[in-house]
Amino acid sequence: MPHRAAASRHFILPLMVLLVGLLAAGAAALQLKGASERRDHERFERLAGQQVNRIRERLETYVALLRGAAGLLAASERVTRPEFAAFVERLRIADLYGGTRGIGYARRFRPEEAQALVAEMRAQGLPDFRLRPDPPGPDPTAIVALEPLDLRNAAAIGYDMYSEPVRRDAMARARDTGEPALSAQVELVQEIDGQKQAGFLVYLPVYVGGAVPETVAERRRLLRGWVYSPFRAGDLFSRVAVPLSPGGAPEVTYRVRDGAGPAGDGPGEAAPLYASGAGERVPEAGFSTQRTLDIAGHAWIMTLAAAPGFARDPAGDVWPLVLGAGSLVTLLVAGAALAQAGASRRSEVARRDLEEETARLELLNRAGAALVAEHDLARLVQTVIEAATELVGGAYGAFFERVPAGQEGNDEDVWRLFSLTGGPREAFTRFGLPRATNLFQPTFLAEGVVRSDDVATDPRYGSHGGMPKGHLPVRSYLAVPVVSGTGERLGALLFGHPEPGRFGPREERLITGFAGQAAVAVDNARLLASVRRKRDRFLGAMRAVRGVLWTNDASGRMVGEQPGWAAITGQSRAEYEGYGWADAVHPDDAQASVEAWNAAVAERRTFVFEHRVRSRDGSWRTYAIRAVPILDEEGAIVEWVGVHTDITEQREAEAELRESNEEIQRYAYIVSHDLRAPLVNVMGFTSELEAVRDDVRAALGDHAEAGRIDADMDEALGFIKAAITKMEALIAAILKLSREGRRTFRPEPLDMRALVQGLADAQRHQADSAGARVAVADDLPEIAADRLAVEQIFGNLIDNALKYLAPGRPGLIQVAGRPVAGGRVRFTVADNGRGIAPQDHARIFELFRRSGLQDRPGDGIGLAHVKALVRSLGGRIEVSSELGQGTTFSVTLPRAAQGPDVPRGAAA
């Protein structure tokens, strides 16, 4: 019995070892398999995101091509079809931008212009051009250009895309927003054979004048047409590369569906826009995901799945071997369980350590690849904090960004939560911004890593009396600064765990190296965002001005393709290269232009000039020129970039203003020489009549009509004196207007709120007597202008509003202002007075012209004086009014004072 009991004990122990070994082997295999599947899934999600971004970037490239074509059309009043074809040919669409059918132009026209349009297009080399449908609808369009003009694209020429609902929806959206618009799924007109594909189109509006109008109504009125690109979905998406495995097989398949079905309430159930790889059906097994892709105001639904060639983690095939090897080892060591127990435990510990180290290395590799590929700052920081938290084994991780002193009105550096993982944001934000306490200060000052096994007992934190109520439960704490290569403190990584002692020296070393990688990635993302902002600002500025861009080489010679210059002058590349551009400059300006340009190039300074240029239609237009040198890091000139801005209308307006001033001078001459002389005679003879009144009375004696005659004479003399007084006032007013026209303006910064309020206070007695109130907005923008002129403008407008109040209701005069485009400010003086009849809106600004009931004193010169002052300041004045409702005067003035004229070749 004792031997059997001993044998049983010996048998039980190896059996237990065997069972435990088998269970351990199985657990290890399952763990390895699960880790492999997670890595496969994470890699698939990353590949799916990359594929979506590839498609987005490809579409954004095509939109950029449309912006270039729109710029060509906006730079010229008339671009012929051959010129448009030459422009598209230079883009080398087939070679560089495969996937689109080309670039086209849909022109808007009135129904009565249909025959003229057909004749014009046939004259431009399209003898078979016809409109479809014919006759055209009430708001027709026609495709007048679509390049390259192959057999498919020729089938679309003349088609009215606006007549079809799906296309019309996208065209109307582009027209009203001024932005690119992508259509829903359509069948293209180019589908002329049996191998049809789903298609879509991207539209970009072109407006009269080039710039995008401010309001929807103006955009609809000034629309010229649309540049657009048609796409065969199969041709486009098949050219977008998909991730390939090392063996060259696709790793991802995907399908694209339109974002809205027929009812507009969800993905359509019709055939997809495109399906790659295995086709429309996504495999039931394997990884898949769905993403929404917003392009030009329209949504696509992308369903992506792992392809049969998806390169799975090699560790996924190892787990059966691990299971078998573990079982075999367990069987071998079962007989020597007691002797090998310690070795087995050490081996298990080593294996776990190895797995942990392997997992960390893999995590570092994945995170490093993600940091390199990601350029969006928010997504990048979220990737950083999630990877770093997993790397150190933290329960919570946070990235606090540094906001330098003064950047957002803060007096000193502050640290703001940017991204968080493992807990809700409120767990941090509810306690406000972190302060530079003993625990945080070394991290915020980039003095090094801070690690604490238990912050609750750490003297750097213990003085706070424990965790605040509602704070995440943190015992283990680890923090590292994120510092750029230039030494700038970008932020800090903070980690926590509810259990003490979870972070050791190894975690500290790992996170220190990772923080360096993260700093480089954040620096790169910020730099890329800055470059994109500057690029968008530059392109926006170019679209906002009426100008064309050109470049010259470092020596100042025009070389290469210059589509803007060619568009306004009609010169070919061979004609304008070198100094050939001067042949398009007015003969009186050409030599001076070349000399001034050469001087600016020699002195490496900004070139500012003005000259006349012959347009392609033969007319001369005046342009202001500004060019600057572009320097490399060593200060050497790389090239010159310049802009020609059309200022013809501005110069014509200035000539008109000079003419107006000369006319005022002529009025003043007439007043001072031709009116004053007879007026003096009238005054003299009136005095003579008054002097002989006693003689007349004596001569009449006892005449029966003596009293009446004396009274009539007294009344007549009174009328004459009143007329003389009024005439004197008119002459004085005209002379005052003449002097104002000759006065030299002295611009200075003006606090418009204080200035206008001062004018209102000066007329408060008049307003109180009339039962009226003058309200001045608190946010009137400041400008730089001549103080006296501005005071006269607004003083006159407020005085007029108080004069012509409507009887029966309290008067209200409101003065407001806001910035408008072009560096200008628009002020309004609005009242609820009598109003002005429509036929008098223009005449009230003429000399000696008044409107409405003449029951108030005035000489009809005030508004003429105001208009002259506004024009002299480089602004304009407008009126809108309705009888019985009130009047609004709008005064638009430059925000900054008008500067001196730029140099020019000759007087225009």
Short mmCIF file of all heavy atoms in Angstrom, two decimals, residues 784-802:
data_model
loop_
_atom_site.label_atom_id
_atom_site.label_comp_id
_atom_site.label_asym_id
_atom_site.label_seq_id
_atom_site.Cartn_x
_atom_site.Cartn_y
_atom_site.Cartn_z
N ALA A 784 -7.36 105.23 -42.61
CA ALA A 784 -6.38 106.31 -42.68
C ALA A 784 -6.82 107.23 -43.81
O ALA A 784 -6.86 106.82 -44.97
CB ALA A 784 -4.98 105.78 -42.93
N ALA A 785 -7.18 108.50 -43.49
CA ALA A 785 -7.66 109.43 -44.50
C ALA A 785 -7.55 110.85 -43.94
O ALA A 785 -7.14 111.06 -42.79
CB ALA A 785 -9.11 109.12 -44.89
N ASP A 786 -7.91 111.84 -44.78
CA ASP A 786 -7.88 113.24 -44.37
C ASP A 786 -9.04 113.49 -43.39
O ASP A 786 -10.21 113.26 -43.74
CB ASP A 786 -8.02 114.14 -45.60
CG ASP A 786 -7.93 115.61 -45.24
OD1 ASP A 786 -6.81 116.12 -45.09
OD2 ASP A 786 -9.00 116.26 -45.07
N ARG A 787 -8.72 113.94 -42.17
CA ARG A 787 -9.73 114.10 -41.14
C ARG A 787 -10.82 115.09 -41.55
O ARG A 787 -12.02 114.82 -41.42
CB ARG A 787 -9.08 114.54 -39.83
CG ARG A 787 -10.09 114.80 -38.70
CD ARG A 787 -9.39 115.21 -37.43
NE ARG A 787 -8.62 114.10 -36.88
CZ ARG A 787 -9.14 113.16 -36.11
NH1 ARG A 787 -10.43 113.19 -35.78
NH2 ARG A 787 -8.38 112.20 -35.64
N LEU A 788 -10.42 116.28 -42.06
CA LEU A 788 -11.40 117.31 -42.39
C LEU A 788 -12.36 116.81 -43.46
O LEU A 788 -13.57 117.02 -43.38
CB LEU A 788 -10.68 118.58 -42.87
CG LEU A 788 -11.59 119.74 -43.29
CD1 LEU A 788 -12.50 120.15 -42.14
CD2 LEU A 788 -10.76 120.94 -43.77
N ALA A 789 -11.83 116.12 -44.50
CA ALA A 789 -12.69 115.63 -45.58
C ALA A 789 -13.69 114.61 -45.04
O ALA A 789 -14.88 114.64 -45.39
CB ALA A 789 -11.84 115.02 -46.68
N VAL A 790 -13.23 113.69 -44.19
CA VAL A 790 -14.13 112.67 -43.65
C VAL A 790 -15.19 113.32 -42.74
O VAL A 790 -16.36 112.94 -42.77
CB VAL A 790 -13.32 111.61 -42.88
CG1 VAL A 790 -14.26 110.63 -42.19
CG2 VAL A 790 -12.41 110.86 -43.83
N GLU A 791 -14.79 114.30 -41.95
CA GLU A 791 -15.77 114.99 -41.10
C GLU A 791 -16.83 115.69 -41.95
O GLU A 791 -18.02 115.69 -41.62
CB GLU A 791 -15.05 116.00 -40.20
CG GLU A 791 -14.25 115.35 -39.07
CD GLU A 791 -13.51 116.37 -38.23
OE1 GLU A 791 -13.33 117.52 -38.71
OE2 GLU A 791 -13.10 116.03 -37.11
N GLN A 792 -16.41 116.34 -43.06
CA GLN A 792 -17.38 117.02 -43.92
C GLN A 792 -18.33 116.02 -44.58
O GLN A 792 -19.53 116.30 -44.72
CB GLN A 792 -16.63 117.82 -44.99
CG GLN A 792 -15.90 119.04 -44.43
CD GLN A 792 -15.08 119.77 -45.47
OE1 GLN A 792 -14.70 119.18 -46.47
NE2 GLN A 792 -14.81 121.03 -45.23
N ILE A 793 -17.81 114.84 -44.98
CA ILE A 793 -18.66 113.84 -45.63
C ILE A 793 -19.76 113.37 -44.68
O ILE A 793 -20.96 113.47 -44.99
CB ILE A 793 -17.80 112.64 -46.10
CG1 ILE A 793 -16.89 113.06 -47.25
CG2 ILE A 793 -18.68 111.47 -46.52
CD1 ILE A 793 -15.83 112.02 -47.59
N PHE A 794 -19.38 112.89 -43.51
CA PHE A 794 -20.37 112.30 -42.61
C PHE A 794 -21.19 113.36 -41.89
O PHE A 794 -22.35 113.14 -41.56
CB PHE A 794 -19.68 111.36 -41.62
CG PHE A 794 -19.20 110.10 -42.25
CD1 PHE A 794 -17.89 109.97 -42.70
CD2 PHE A 794 -20.07 109.04 -42.46
CE1 PHE A 794 -17.45 108.81 -43.30
CE2 PHE A 794 -19.64 107.87 -43.05
CZ PHE A 794 -18.33 107.76 -43.49
N GLY A 795 -20.59 114.54 -41.66
CA GLY A 795 -21.37 115.63 -41.07
C GLY A 795 -22.51 116.05 -41.98
O GLY A 795 -23.64 116.29 -41.55
N ASN A 796 -22.23 116.15 -43.30
CA ASN A 796 -23.26 116.53 -44.27
C ASN A 796 -24.35 115.47 -44.34
O ASN A 796 -25.54 115.80 -44.38
CB ASN A 796 -22.60 116.73 -45.65
CG ASN A 796 -23.54 117.38 -46.64
OD1 ASN A 796 -24.55 116.81 -47.00
ND2 ASN A 796 -23.18 118.58 -47.08
N LEU A 797 -23.97 114.17 -44.36
CA LEU A 797 -24.97 113.09 -44.48
C LEU A 797 -25.87 113.05 -43.24
O LEU A 797 -27.09 112.86 -43.36
CB LEU A 797 -24.27 111.76 -44.68
CG LEU A 797 -23.49 111.59 -45.99
CD1 LEU A 797 -22.80 110.24 -46.03
CD2 LEU A 797 -24.43 111.74 -47.19
N ILE A 798 -25.27 113.22 -42.03
CA ILE A 798 -26.10 113.21 -40.82
C ILE A 798 -27.00 114.43 -40.78
O ILE A 798 -28.19 114.35 -40.42
CB ILE A 798 -25.20 113.15 -39.57
CG1 ILE A 798 -24.45 111.81 -39.53
CG2 ILE A 798 -26.01 113.34 -38.30
CD1 ILE A 798 -23.42 111.72 -38.42
N ASP A 799 -26.48 115.60 -41.21
CA ASP A 799 -27.28 116.83 -41.24
C ASP A 799 -28.46 116.68 -42.18
O ASP A 799 -29.59 117.07 -41.87
CB ASP A 799 -26.39 118.01 -41.67
CG ASP A 799 -27.17 119.32 -41.68
OD1 ASP A 799 -27.57 119.79 -40.60
OD2 ASP A 799 -27.39 119.86 -42.79
N ASN A 800 -28.25 116.11 -43.38
CA ASN A 800 -29.34 115.89 -44.33
C ASN A 800 -30.39 114.95 -43.75
O ASN A 800 -31.60 115.16 -43.92
CB ASN A 800 -28.80 115.30 -45.63
CG ASN A 800 -28.34 116.38 -46.60
OD1 ASN A 800 -28.41 117.57 -46.29
ND2 ASN A 800 -27.84 115.97 -47.75
N ALA A 801 -29.93 113.87 -43.07
CA ALA A 801 -30.89 112.93 -42.50
C ALA A 801 -31.77 113.61 -41.44
O ALA A 801 -32.97 113.33 -41.35
CB ALA A 801 -30.14 111.75 -41.88
N LEU A 802 -31.18 114.52 -40.64
CA LEU A 802 -31.97 115.24 -39.63
C LEU A 802 -32.90 116.26 -40.27
O LEU A 802 -33.97 116.56 -39.73
CB LEU A 802 -31.02 115.94 -38.65
CG LEU A 802 -30.23 114.99 -37.72
CD1 LEU A 802 -29.17 115.76 -36.95
CD2 LEU A 802 -31.18 114.30 -36.75
#
